[in-house]
Amino acid sequence: MILIGVFDSPFVRRVAVSLGVLGLPFEHRDWSTGRDAAQIRQYNPLGRVPTLVLDSEEVLFESSVVLDYLDQTVGAARALLPASGIERRQALQLVALATGAADKAVSMVYERVYRPEDKRHAPWLERCTVQIDSALTALEAHCIQRKDHDWLVGERMTQADMTVACCCTFATDAVPFDLAPYPALAARVARYEALPVFQQFHVAFDAPATT
Amino acid sequence: MILIGVFDSPFVRRVAVSLGVLGLPFEHRDWSTGRDAAQIRQYNPLGRVPTLVLDSEEVLFESSVVLDYLDQTVGAARALLPASGIERRQALQLVALATGAADKAVSMVYERVYRPEDKRHAPWLERCTVQIDSALTALEAHCIQRKDHDWLVGERMTQADMTVACCCTFATDAVPFDLAPYPALAARVARYEALPVFQQFHVAFDAPATT
């Protein structure tokens, strides 16, 4: 299968890290949503990444849809989201907090990338900042509560761990956002980012070129 | 349980319609992400809707997370997403196309709501329009292919039907977007919207007040 999208997107990266953790091989096309929008739209009408092209030529997009497919492929015992119950809900809520913060971080980057300076609007950036701060505060509280546990949910790595790390790293690389006010979260993200599978799929943030 | 959010959000509405289809009773708080942001943040740090408060006081948010919970609650036989395989992937892809278009429609509304006129940027609105048009074109192609079937996937109503209807109606109500170039999609959305459960949870679009 072929994964389309640059690893500096937290949504592409959480798919790449998941593929790595699950040991599923893939080809990579590092097409940018700015520069390569037309090429991406040949596979995904929305022009968004990640887009995953299966060997059958079936195309999947939206990172949550791709991750659902990967979990179904490997089966419940190896799936990165718990199959049901409170652990599934907890993992999904952490994912929602992290991806929600990343959405707002993307909005802040888009403000720079897709607008001339006189069209940028400080109150909008402030609104996004408040939302990101609130999400990080909630993640910090969860990390403090889980300080004696290696992973955010249960006793093994789940999608919550991967998504929280990818989204926080994106916010710090791209906005840039400072994790210092969230020390338990920052320490956990640093620990995850030191793992080989996270390093393998990290690239320096490069704002999308619009031409 | 308590559903927070106004039904003029496609994401709140697809949850409300799903609750209605599944026959699950709920209380409703029609709090707006603009006017009632602080109140919403007491339940959801991101200040986003839909937010679902369970009787146990557990809080769920992101519509896909809430819908996953509802499907788990009613069990596989009644779940609104097929449990596995090609039908699940098809339903999720249609949902991704529809919610992707709705995301961009929300961006277009936000441009009006959260910015003074001199901070709005026509090329950004044009970019969103292209993405919505491309998603609707893909949905139209699927509707043409499914013209002899009552539902978009398989032979019963799935989350794809509900989400496509809610997202298309939002785009036409709020941007406003014209579905006339997509006649098979327009006819199908009109047919779904005539169903009592869709009418029950429809309100006229009212742009969020920011104060």
Side-chain angles (χ1 to χ4, degrees), chain A residues 45-46 58 65 68 72 83-84 88-89 93 111 114-115 119 121 131 134, chain B residues 45-46 58 65 68 72 83-84 88-89 93 111 114-115 121 131 134:
Chain A
L46 290 159
E58 199 180 331
V65 173
D68 185 85
Q72 294 242 342
S84 63
R88 182 176 180 87
R89 295 198 297 278
Q93 279 319 108
E111 187 82 5
Y114 290 111
R115 288 175 198 272
K119 296 291 185 189
H121 188 48
Q131 289 178 283
S134 301
Chain B
L46 290 159
E58 198 181 331
V65 173
D68 185 84
Q72 295 241 343
S84 62
R88 183 175 179 87
R89 294 198 299 278
Q93 279 318 109
E111 188 82 6
Y114 290 112
R115 287 173 198 274
H121 188 46
Q131 287 177 285
S134 301

PDB file of all heavy atoms in Angstrom, chain A residues 45-46 58 65 68 72 83-84 88-89 93 111 114-115 119 121 131 134, chain B residues 45-46 58 65 68 72 83-84 88-89 93 111 114-115 121 131 134:
ATOM      1  N   PRO A  45     -10.743  13.358  -3.383  1.00  0.00           N
ATOM      2  CA  PRO A  45     -11.377  14.572  -3.899  1.00  0.00           C
ATOM      3  C   PRO A  45     -11.155  15.782  -3.000  1.00  0.00           C
ATOM      4  O   PRO A  45     -11.134  16.916  -3.482  1.00  0.00           O
ATOM      5  CB  PRO A  45     -12.867  14.214  -3.934  1.00  0.00           C
ATOM      6  CG  PRO A  45     -12.922  12.729  -3.929  1.00  0.00           C
ATOM      7  CD  PRO A  45     -11.697  12.251  -3.228  1.00  0.00           C
ATOM      8  N   LEU A  46     -10.992  15.549  -1.692  1.00  0.00           N
ATOM      9  CA  LEU A  46     -10.811  16.666  -0.773  1.00  0.00           C
ATOM     10  C   LEU A  46      -9.393  17.245  -0.828  1.00  0.00           C
ATOM     11  O   LEU A  46      -9.142  18.314  -0.277  1.00  0.00           O
ATOM     12  CB  LEU A  46     -11.126  16.231   0.662  1.00  0.00           C
ATOM     13  CG  LEU A  46     -12.614  15.955   0.925  1.00  0.00           C
ATOM     14  CD1 LEU A  46     -12.785  15.075   2.149  1.00  0.00           C
ATOM     15  CD2 LEU A  46     -13.373  17.261   1.117  1.00  0.00           C
ATOM     16  N   GLU A  58      -8.267   0.385  -3.944  1.00  0.00           N
ATOM     17  CA  GLU A  58      -9.222   1.084  -3.082  1.00  0.00           C
ATOM     18  C   GLU A  58      -8.464   2.209  -2.360  1.00  0.00           C
ATOM     19  O   GLU A  58      -7.307   2.031  -1.990  1.00  0.00           O
ATOM     20  CB  GLU A  58      -9.776   0.080  -2.066  1.00  0.00           C
ATOM     21  CG  GLU A  58     -11.070   0.474  -1.390  1.00  0.00           C
ATOM     22  CD  GLU A  58     -11.528  -0.605  -0.391  1.00  0.00           C
ATOM     23  OE1 GLU A  58     -11.233  -1.804  -0.588  1.00  0.00           O
ATOM     24  OE2 GLU A  58     -12.170  -0.234   0.591  1.00  0.00           O
ATOM     25  N   VAL A  65     -10.183   6.949   9.617  1.00  0.00           N
ATOM     26  CA  VAL A  65     -10.692   5.870   8.760  1.00  0.00           C
ATOM     27  C   VAL A  65      -9.557   4.912   8.406  1.00  0.00           C
ATOM     28  O   VAL A  65      -9.719   3.683   8.433  1.00  0.00           O
ATOM     29  CB  VAL A  65     -11.332   6.467   7.482  1.00  0.00           C
ATOM     30  CG1 VAL A  65     -11.717   5.371   6.510  1.00  0.00           C
ATOM     31  CG2 VAL A  65     -12.541   7.340   7.842  1.00  0.00           C
ATOM     32  N   ASP A  68      -8.757   2.862  11.469  1.00  0.00           N
ATOM     33  CA  ASP A  68      -9.795   1.852  11.664  1.00  0.00           C
ATOM     34  C   ASP A  68      -9.521   0.641  10.759  1.00  0.00           C
ATOM     35  O   ASP A  68      -9.608  -0.506  11.194  1.00  0.00           O
ATOM     36  CB  ASP A  68     -11.168   2.456  11.339  1.00  0.00           C
ATOM     37  CG  ASP A  68     -12.322   1.517  11.641  1.00  0.00           C
ATOM     38  OD1 ASP A  68     -12.756   1.495  12.810  1.00  0.00           O
ATOM     39  OD2 ASP A  68     -12.780   0.795  10.725  1.00  0.00           O
ATOM     40  N   GLN A  72      -8.625  -3.192  11.859  1.00  0.00           N
ATOM     41  CA  GLN A  72      -9.414  -4.327  11.368  1.00  0.00           C
ATOM     42  C   GLN A  72      -8.500  -5.359  10.687  1.00  0.00           C
ATOM     43  O   GLN A  72      -8.743  -6.558  10.774  1.00  0.00           O
ATOM     44  CB  GLN A  72     -10.459  -3.827  10.363  1.00  0.00           C
ATOM     45  CG  GLN A  72     -11.518  -2.923  11.012  1.00  0.00           C
ATOM     46  CD  GLN A  72     -12.918  -3.486  10.925  1.00  0.00           C
ATOM     47  OE1 GLN A  72     -13.200  -4.370  10.125  1.00  0.00           O
ATOM     48  NE2 GLN A  72     -13.806  -2.994  11.768  1.00  0.00           N
ATOM     49  N   ALA A  83     -10.908  -2.639  21.908  1.00  0.00           N
ATOM     50  CA  ALA A  83     -12.082  -3.034  21.123  1.00  0.00           C
ATOM     51  C   ALA A  83     -13.381  -2.445  21.650  1.00  0.00           C
ATOM     52  O   ALA A  83     -14.316  -2.193  20.877  1.00  0.00           O
ATOM     53  CB  ALA A  83     -12.175  -4.562  21.068  1.00  0.00           C
ATOM     54  N   SER A  84     -13.486  -2.227  22.960  1.00  0.00           N
ATOM     55  CA  SER A  84     -14.781  -1.792  23.503  1.00  0.00           C
ATOM     56  C   SER A  84     -14.613  -1.262  24.926  1.00  0.00           C
ATOM     57  O   SER A  84     -13.524  -1.297  25.503  1.00  0.00           O
ATOM     58  CB  SER A  84     -15.762  -2.966  23.505  1.00  0.00           C
ATOM     59  OG  SER A  84     -15.259  -3.978  24.359  1.00  0.00           O
ATOM     60  N   ARG A  88     -11.770   1.847  25.474  1.00  0.00           N
ATOM     61  CA  ARG A  88     -11.952   2.401  24.134  1.00  0.00           C
ATOM     62  C   ARG A  88     -12.383   3.862  24.220  1.00  0.00           C
ATOM     63  O   ARG A  88     -11.851   4.717  23.521  1.00  0.00           O
ATOM     64  CB  ARG A  88     -12.993   1.584  23.360  1.00  0.00           C
ATOM     65  CG  ARG A  88     -13.198   2.073  21.924  1.00  0.00           C
ATOM     66  CD  ARG A  88     -14.164   1.179  21.154  1.00  0.00           C
ATOM     67  NE  ARG A  88     -14.371   1.628  19.797  1.00  0.00           N
ATOM     68  CZ  ARG A  88     -13.617   1.305  18.755  1.00  0.00           C
ATOM     69  NH1 ARG A  88     -12.558   0.531  18.923  1.00  0.00           N
ATOM     70  NH2 ARG A  88     -13.884   1.757  17.535  1.00  0.00           N
ATOM     71  N   ARG A  89     -13.344   4.156  25.110  1.00  0.00           N
ATOM     72  CA  ARG A  89     -13.824   5.536  25.225  1.00  0.00           C
ATOM     73  C   ARG A  89     -12.710   6.467  25.707  1.00  0.00           C
ATOM     74  O   ARG A  89     -12.550   7.571  25.202  1.00  0.00           O
ATOM     75  CB  ARG A  89     -15.029   5.617  26.165  1.00  0.00           C
ATOM     76  CG  ARG A  89     -16.254   4.883  25.632  1.00  0.00           C
ATOM     77  CD  ARG A  89     -17.529   5.320  26.340  1.00  0.00           C
ATOM     78  NE  ARG A  89     -17.546   5.021  27.762  1.00  0.00           N
ATOM     79  CZ  ARG A  89     -17.859   3.830  28.292  1.00  0.00           C
ATOM     80  NH1 ARG A  89     -18.143   2.803  27.506  1.00  0.00           N
ATOM     81  NH2 ARG A  89     -17.875   3.664  29.603  1.00  0.00           N
ATOM     82  N   GLN A  93     -11.254   9.575  23.638  1.00  0.00           N
ATOM     83  CA  GLN A  93     -11.325  10.936  24.157  1.00  0.00           C
ATOM     84  C   GLN A  93      -9.966  11.611  24.139  1.00  0.00           C
ATOM     85  O   GLN A  93      -9.852  12.801  23.820  1.00  0.00           O
ATOM     86  CB  GLN A  93     -11.888  10.935  25.591  1.00  0.00           C
ATOM     87  CG  GLN A  93     -13.387  10.845  25.659  1.00  0.00           C
ATOM     88  CD  GLN A  93     -14.088  11.695  24.620  1.00  0.00           C
ATOM     89  OE1 GLN A  93     -14.654  11.193  23.661  1.00  0.00           O
ATOM     90  NE2 GLN A  93     -14.034  12.983  24.781  1.00  0.00           N
ATOM     91  N   GLU A 111      -3.307  30.280   8.721  1.00  0.00           N
ATOM     92  CA  GLU A 111      -3.432  31.739   8.787  1.00  0.00           C
ATOM     93  C   GLU A 111      -2.176  32.406   8.202  1.00  0.00           C
ATOM     94  O   GLU A 111      -2.270  33.401   7.507  1.00  0.00           O
ATOM     95  CB  GLU A 111      -3.650  32.148  10.251  1.00  0.00           C
ATOM     96  CG  GLU A 111      -3.972  33.610  10.457  1.00  0.00           C
ATOM     97  CD  GLU A 111      -5.443  33.949  10.233  1.00  0.00           C
ATOM     98  OE1 GLU A 111      -6.260  33.024  10.000  1.00  0.00           O
ATOM     99  OE2 GLU A 111      -5.777  35.142  10.293  1.00  0.00           O
ATOM    100  N   TYR A 114      -1.769  30.784   4.049  1.00  0.00           N
ATOM    101  CA  TYR A 114      -2.736  31.048   2.981  1.00  0.00           C
ATOM    102  C   TYR A 114      -3.250  32.484   2.947  1.00  0.00           C
ATOM    103  O   TYR A 114      -4.177  32.783   2.200  1.00  0.00           O
ATOM    104  CB  TYR A 114      -3.916  30.063   3.070  1.00  0.00           C
ATOM    105  CG  TYR A 114      -3.521  28.653   2.703  1.00  0.00           C
ATOM    106  CD1 TYR A 114      -3.489  27.640   3.655  1.00  0.00           C
ATOM    107  CD2 TYR A 114      -3.145  28.340   1.395  1.00  0.00           C
ATOM    108  CE1 TYR A 114      -3.109  26.342   3.324  1.00  0.00           C
ATOM    109  CE2 TYR A 114      -2.762  27.054   1.050  1.00  0.00           C
ATOM    110  CZ  TYR A 114      -2.746  26.062   2.030  1.00  0.00           C
ATOM    111  OH  TYR A 114      -2.358  24.785   1.689  1.00  0.00           O
ATOM    112  N   ARG A 115      -2.688  33.355   3.801  1.00  0.00           N
ATOM    113  CA  ARG A 115      -3.145  34.749   3.824  1.00  0.00           C
ATOM    114  C   ARG A 115      -1.974  35.714   3.808  1.00  0.00           C
ATOM    115  O   ARG A 115      -0.986  35.498   4.523  1.00  0.00           O
ATOM    116  CB  ARG A 115      -3.915  35.041   5.128  1.00  0.00           C
ATOM    117  CG  ARG A 115      -5.253  34.426   5.197  1.00  0.00           C
ATOM    118  CD  ARG A 115      -5.882  34.656   6.564  1.00  0.00           C
ATOM    119  NE  ARG A 115      -6.951  33.701   6.709  1.00  0.00           N
ATOM    120  CZ  ARG A 115      -8.192  33.923   6.295  1.00  0.00           C
ATOM    121  NH1 ARG A 115      -8.522  35.078   5.784  1.00  0.00           N
ATOM    122  NH2 ARG A 115      -9.105  32.980   6.413  1.00  0.00           N
ATOM    123  N   LYS A 119      -4.345  40.272   5.993  1.00  0.00           N
ATOM    124  CA  LYS A 119      -5.597  39.522   6.112  1.00  0.00           C
ATOM    125  C   LYS A 119      -5.610  38.598   7.324  1.00  0.00           C
ATOM    126  O   LYS A 119      -6.531  37.811   7.517  1.00  0.00           O
ATOM    127  CB  LYS A 119      -5.850  38.679   4.845  1.00  0.00           C
ATOM    128  CG  LYS A 119      -6.055  39.511   3.584  1.00  0.00           C
ATOM    129  CD  LYS A 119      -7.379  40.269   3.627  1.00  0.00           C
ATOM    130  CE  LYS A 119      -7.628  41.009   2.307  1.00  0.00           C
ATOM    131  NZ  LYS A 119      -8.791  41.923   2.419  1.00  0.00           N
ATOM    132  N   HIS A 121      -5.813  37.760  11.348  1.00  0.00           N
ATOM    133  CA  HIS A 121      -6.730  38.344  12.334  1.00  0.00           C
ATOM    134  C   HIS A 121      -6.380  37.822  13.728  1.00  0.00           C
ATOM    135  O   HIS A 121      -6.616  36.660  14.053  1.00  0.00           O
ATOM    136  CB  HIS A 121      -8.160  37.960  11.936  1.00  0.00           C
ATOM    137  CG  HIS A 121      -9.213  38.650  12.745  1.00  0.00           C
ATOM    138  ND1 HIS A 121      -9.194  40.006  12.983  1.00  0.00           N
ATOM    139  CD2 HIS A 121     -10.342  38.178  13.347  1.00  0.00           C
ATOM    140  CE1 HIS A 121     -10.246  40.328  13.713  1.00  0.00           C
ATOM    141  NE2 HIS A 121     -10.948  39.246  13.954  1.00  0.00           N
ATOM    142  N   GLN A 131      -8.227  27.388  22.735  1.00  0.00           N
ATOM    143  CA  GLN A 131      -8.707  26.006  22.567  1.00  0.00           C
ATOM    144  C   GLN A 131      -7.562  25.002  22.719  1.00  0.00           C
ATOM    145  O   GLN A 131      -7.712  23.954  23.345  1.00  0.00           O
ATOM    146  CB  GLN A 131      -9.406  25.862  21.204  1.00  0.00           C
ATOM    147  CG  GLN A 131     -10.753  26.585  21.171  1.00  0.00           C
ATOM    148  CD  GLN A 131     -11.433  26.488  19.811  1.00  0.00           C
ATOM    149  OE1 GLN A 131     -11.056  27.184  18.887  1.00  0.00           O
ATOM    150  NE2 GLN A 131     -12.413  25.623  19.691  1.00  0.00           N
ATOM    151  N   SER A 134      -6.528  24.761  26.392  1.00  0.00           N
ATOM    152  CA  SER A 134      -7.506  24.002  27.174  1.00  0.00           C
ATOM    153  C   SER A 134      -7.340  22.502  26.948  1.00  0.00           C
ATOM    154  O   SER A 134      -7.423  21.707  27.900  1.00  0.00           O
ATOM    155  CB  SER A 134      -8.925  24.421  26.780  1.00  0.00           C
ATOM    156  OG  SER A 134      -9.102  25.802  27.002  1.00  0.00           O
TER     157      SER A 134
ATOM    158  N   PRO B  45     -13.030  20.611  26.975  1.00  0.00           N
ATOM    159  CA  PRO B  45     -11.978  21.634  26.982  1.00  0.00           C
ATOM    160  C   PRO B  45     -11.855  22.366  25.648  1.00  0.00           C
ATOM    161  O   PRO B  45     -11.464  23.521  25.620  1.00  0.00           O
ATOM    162  CB  PRO B  45     -10.708  20.831  27.276  1.00  0.00           C
ATOM    163  CG  PRO B  45     -11.163  19.561  27.892  1.00  0.00           C
ATOM    164  CD  PRO B  45     -12.539  19.282  27.369  1.00  0.00           C
ATOM    165  N   LEU B  46     -12.187  21.675  24.556  1.00  0.00           N
ATOM    166  CA  LEU B  46     -12.052  22.300  23.245  1.00  0.00           C
ATOM    167  C   LEU B  46     -13.178  23.284  22.953  1.00  0.00           C
ATOM    168  O   LEU B  46     -13.102  24.056  21.994  1.00  0.00           O
ATOM    169  CB  LEU B  46     -12.004  21.230  22.154  1.00  0.00           C
ATOM    170  CG  LEU B  46     -10.723  20.392  22.133  1.00  0.00           C
ATOM    171  CD1 LEU B  46     -10.952  19.081  21.401  1.00  0.00           C
ATOM    172  CD2 LEU B  46      -9.589  21.174  21.457  1.00  0.00           C
ATOM    173  N   GLU B  58     -19.656  10.709  32.701  1.00  0.00           N
ATOM    174  CA  GLU B  58     -18.589  10.615  31.703  1.00  0.00           C
ATOM    175  C   GLU B  58     -18.970  11.522  30.524  1.00  0.00           C
ATOM    176  O   GLU B  58     -20.142  11.615  30.157  1.00  0.00           O
ATOM    177  CB  GLU B  58     -18.489   9.156  31.251  1.00  0.00           C
ATOM    178  CG  GLU B  58     -17.197   8.784  30.559  1.00  0.00           C
ATOM    179  CD  GLU B  58     -17.198   7.302  30.122  1.00  0.00           C
ATOM    180  OE1 GLU B  58     -17.866   6.467  30.784  1.00  0.00           O
ATOM    181  OE2 GLU B  58     -16.558   7.002  29.123  1.00  0.00           O
ATOM    182  N   VAL B  65     -16.674   9.979  17.807  1.00  0.00           N
ATOM    183  CA  VAL B  65     -16.490   9.258  19.077  1.00  0.00           C
ATOM    184  C   VAL B  65     -17.858   8.968  19.708  1.00  0.00           C
ATOM    185  O   VAL B  65     -18.119   7.864  20.201  1.00  0.00           O
ATOM    186  CB  VAL B  65     -15.590  10.075  20.034  1.00  0.00           C
ATOM    187  CG1 VAL B  65     -15.521   9.427  21.410  1.00  0.00           C
ATOM    188  CG2 VAL B  65     -14.199  10.247  19.443  1.00  0.00           C
ATOM    189  N   ASP B  68     -19.523   6.237  17.745  1.00  0.00           N
ATOM    190  CA  ASP B  68     -18.906   4.944  18.055  1.00  0.00           C
ATOM    191  C   ASP B  68     -19.502   4.388  19.352  1.00  0.00           C
ATOM    192  O   ASP B  68     -19.843   3.203  19.444  1.00  0.00           O
ATOM    193  CB  ASP B  68     -17.390   5.126  18.197  1.00  0.00           C
ATOM    194  CG  ASP B  68     -16.639   3.822  18.394  1.00  0.00           C
ATOM    195  OD1 ASP B  68     -16.335   3.163  17.392  1.00  0.00           O
ATOM    196  OD2 ASP B  68     -16.379   3.452  19.565  1.00  0.00           O
ATOM    197  N   GLN B  72     -21.704   0.997  19.894  1.00  0.00           N
ATOM    198  CA  GLN B  72     -21.309  -0.026  20.873  1.00  0.00           C
ATOM    199  C   GLN B  72     -22.461  -0.311  21.846  1.00  0.00           C
ATOM    200  O   GLN B  72     -22.657  -1.450  22.269  1.00  0.00           O
ATOM    201  CB  GLN B  72     -20.078   0.453  21.647  1.00  0.00           C
ATOM    202  CG  GLN B  72     -18.840   0.602  20.761  1.00  0.00           C
ATOM    203  CD  GLN B  72     -17.699  -0.302  21.176  1.00  0.00           C
ATOM    204  OE1 GLN B  72     -17.689  -0.816  22.295  1.00  0.00           O
ATOM    205  NE2 GLN B  72     -16.760  -0.541  20.291  1.00  0.00           N
ATOM    206  N   ALA B  83     -20.143  -3.490  10.719  1.00  0.00           N
ATOM    207  CA  ALA B  83     -19.102  -3.883  11.683  1.00  0.00           C
ATOM    208  C   ALA B  83     -17.722  -4.045  11.063  1.00  0.00           C
ATOM    209  O   ALA B  83     -16.717  -3.813  11.735  1.00  0.00           O
ATOM    210  CB  ALA B  83     -19.508  -5.186  12.375  1.00  0.00           C
ATOM    211  N   SER B  84     -17.654  -4.443   9.793  1.00  0.00           N
ATOM    212  CA  SER B  84     -16.340  -4.740   9.209  1.00  0.00           C
ATOM    213  C   SER B  84     -16.423  -4.827   7.690  1.00  0.00           C
ATOM    214  O   SER B  84     -17.502  -4.719   7.101  1.00  0.00           O
ATOM    215  CB  SER B  84     -15.809  -6.061   9.767  1.00  0.00           C
ATOM    216  OG  SER B  84     -16.679  -7.112   9.397  1.00  0.00           O
ATOM    217  N   ARG B  88     -18.113  -1.462   5.693  1.00  0.00           N
ATOM    218  CA  ARG B  88     -17.645  -0.488   6.685  1.00  0.00           C
ATOM    219  C   ARG B  88     -16.748   0.560   6.023  1.00  0.00           C
ATOM    220  O   ARG B  88     -16.900   1.762   6.268  1.00  0.00           O
ATOM    221  CB  ARG B  88     -16.875  -1.209   7.806  1.00  0.00           C
ATOM    222  CG  ARG B  88     -16.415  -0.269   8.922  1.00  0.00           C
ATOM    223  CD  ARG B  88     -15.768  -1.035  10.070  1.00  0.00           C
ATOM    224  NE  ARG B  88     -15.305  -0.160  11.128  1.00  0.00           N
ATOM    225  CZ  ARG B  88     -16.054   0.263  12.157  1.00  0.00           C
ATOM    226  NH1 ARG B  88     -17.316  -0.106  12.226  1.00  0.00           N
ATOM    227  NH2 ARG B  88     -15.560   1.046  13.080  1.00  0.00           N
ATOM    228  N   ARG B  89     -15.812   0.108   5.185  1.00  0.00           N
ATOM    229  CA  ARG B  89     -14.912   1.064   4.534  1.00  0.00           C
ATOM    230  C   ARG B  89     -15.686   2.022   3.628  1.00  0.00           C
ATOM    231  O   ARG B  89     -15.417   3.222   3.607  1.00  0.00           O
ATOM    232  CB  ARG B  89     -13.825   0.321   3.741  1.00  0.00           C
ATOM    233  CG  ARG B  89     -12.881  -0.462   4.624  1.00  0.00           C
ATOM    234  CD  ARG B  89     -11.587  -0.822   3.903  1.00  0.00           C
ATOM    235  NE  ARG B  89     -11.769  -1.667   2.732  1.00  0.00           N
ATOM    236  CZ  ARG B  89     -11.921  -2.990   2.766  1.00  0.00           C
ATOM    237  NH1 ARG B  89     -11.928  -3.634   3.926  1.00  0.00           N
ATOM    238  NH2 ARG B  89     -12.058  -3.677   1.660  1.00  0.00           N
ATOM    239  N   GLN B  93     -15.871   6.002   4.088  1.00  0.00           N
ATOM    240  CA  GLN B  93     -15.373   6.914   3.058  1.00  0.00           C
ATOM    241  C   GLN B  93     -16.416   7.956   2.701  1.00  0.00           C
ATOM    242  O   GLN B  93     -16.103   9.130   2.489  1.00  0.00           O
ATOM    243  CB  GLN B  93     -14.959   6.144   1.798  1.00  0.00           C
ATOM    244  CG  GLN B  93     -13.591   5.528   1.894  1.00  0.00           C
ATOM    245  CD  GLN B  93     -12.561   6.438   2.528  1.00  0.00           C
ATOM    246  OE1 GLN B  93     -12.131   6.201   3.649  1.00  0.00           O
ATOM    247  NE2 GLN B  93     -12.172   7.500   1.858  1.00  0.00           N
ATOM    248  N   GLU B 111     -15.256  32.377   8.417  1.00  0.00           N
ATOM    249  CA  GLU B 111     -14.651  33.549   7.764  1.00  0.00           C
ATOM    250  C   GLU B 111     -15.559  34.771   7.915  1.00  0.00           C
ATOM    251  O   GLU B 111     -15.089  35.884   8.138  1.00  0.00           O
ATOM    252  CB  GLU B 111     -14.424  33.224   6.278  1.00  0.00           C
ATOM    253  CG  GLU B 111     -13.641  34.260   5.507  1.00  0.00           C
ATOM    254  CD  GLU B 111     -12.136  34.138   5.686  1.00  0.00           C
ATOM    255  OE1 GLU B 111     -11.666  33.169   6.327  1.00  0.00           O
ATOM    256  OE2 GLU B 111     -11.417  35.021   5.175  1.00  0.00           O
ATOM    257  N   TYR B 114     -16.171  35.256  12.329  1.00  0.00           N
ATOM    258  CA  TYR B 114     -15.095  35.597  13.259  1.00  0.00           C
ATOM    259  C   TYR B 114     -14.130  36.656  12.722  1.00  0.00           C
ATOM    260  O   TYR B 114     -13.099  36.913  13.357  1.00  0.00           O
ATOM    261  CB  TYR B 114     -14.329  34.333  13.672  1.00  0.00           C
ATOM    262  CG  TYR B 114     -15.160  33.421  14.560  1.00  0.00           C
ATOM    263  CD1 TYR B 114     -15.591  32.186  14.112  1.00  0.00           C
ATOM    264  CD2 TYR B 114     -15.520  33.822  15.840  1.00  0.00           C
ATOM    265  CE1 TYR B 114     -16.365  31.355  14.924  1.00  0.00           C
ATOM    266  CE2 TYR B 114     -16.286  33.005  16.650  1.00  0.00           C
ATOM    267  CZ  TYR B 114     -16.700  31.782  16.192  1.00  0.00           C
ATOM    268  OH  TYR B 114     -17.461  30.966  16.991  1.00  0.00           O
ATOM    269  N   ARG B 115     -14.435  37.240  11.546  1.00  0.00           N
ATOM    270  CA  ARG B 115     -13.531  38.254  10.983  1.00  0.00           C
ATOM    271  C   ARG B 115     -14.302  39.476  10.507  1.00  0.00           C
ATOM    272  O   ARG B 115     -15.344  39.316   9.857  1.00  0.00           O
ATOM    273  CB  ARG B 115     -12.808  37.698   9.742  1.00  0.00           C
ATOM    274  CG  ARG B 115     -11.759  36.712  10.038  1.00  0.00           C
ATOM    275  CD  ARG B 115     -11.214  36.095   8.748  1.00  0.00           C
ATOM    276  NE  ARG B 115     -10.543  34.879   9.099  1.00  0.00           N
ATOM    277  CZ  ARG B 115      -9.273  34.823   9.488  1.00  0.00           C
ATOM    278  NH1 ARG B 115      -8.541  35.907   9.499  1.00  0.00           N
ATOM    279  NH2 ARG B 115      -8.723  33.681   9.846  1.00  0.00           N
ATOM    280  N   HIS B 121     -10.582  36.770   3.132  1.00  0.00           N
ATOM    281  CA  HIS B 121      -9.610  36.558   2.063  1.00  0.00           C
ATOM    282  C   HIS B 121     -10.228  35.652   0.994  1.00  0.00           C
ATOM    283  O   HIS B 121     -10.402  34.449   1.199  1.00  0.00           O
ATOM    284  CB  HIS B 121      -8.357  35.918   2.687  1.00  0.00           C
ATOM    285  CG  HIS B 121      -7.192  35.821   1.754  1.00  0.00           C
ATOM    286  ND1 HIS B 121      -6.776  36.867   0.953  1.00  0.00           N
ATOM    287  CD2 HIS B 121      -6.335  34.800   1.495  1.00  0.00           C
ATOM    288  CE1 HIS B 121      -5.728  36.489   0.248  1.00  0.00           C
ATOM    289  NE2 HIS B 121      -5.449  35.238   0.555  1.00  0.00           N
ATOM    290  N   GLN B 131     -12.657  22.469  -2.703  1.00  0.00           N
ATOM    291  CA  GLN B 131     -12.651  21.204  -1.948  1.00  0.00           C
ATOM    292  C   GLN B 131     -14.071  20.675  -1.745  1.00  0.00           C
ATOM    293  O   GLN B 131     -14.330  19.479  -1.873  1.00  0.00           O
ATOM    294  CB  GLN B 131     -11.943  21.419  -0.602  1.00  0.00           C
ATOM    295  CG  GLN B 131     -10.431  21.558  -0.772  1.00  0.00           C
ATOM    296  CD  GLN B 131      -9.724  21.836   0.548  1.00  0.00           C
ATOM    297  OE1 GLN B 131      -9.770  22.935   1.083  1.00  0.00           O
ATOM    298  NE2 GLN B 131      -9.082  20.822   1.084  1.00  0.00           N
ATOM    299  N   SER B 134     -15.398  19.298  -5.049  1.00  0.00           N
ATOM    300  CA  SER B 134     -14.794  18.002  -5.377  1.00  0.00           C
ATOM    301  C   SER B 134     -15.424  16.884  -4.560  1.00  0.00           C
ATOM    302  O   SER B 134     -15.696  15.789  -5.086  1.00  0.00           O
ATOM    303  CB  SER B 134     -13.297  18.041  -5.095  1.00  0.00           C
ATOM    304  OG  SER B 134     -12.687  19.057  -5.849  1.00  0.00           O
TER     305      SER B 134
END
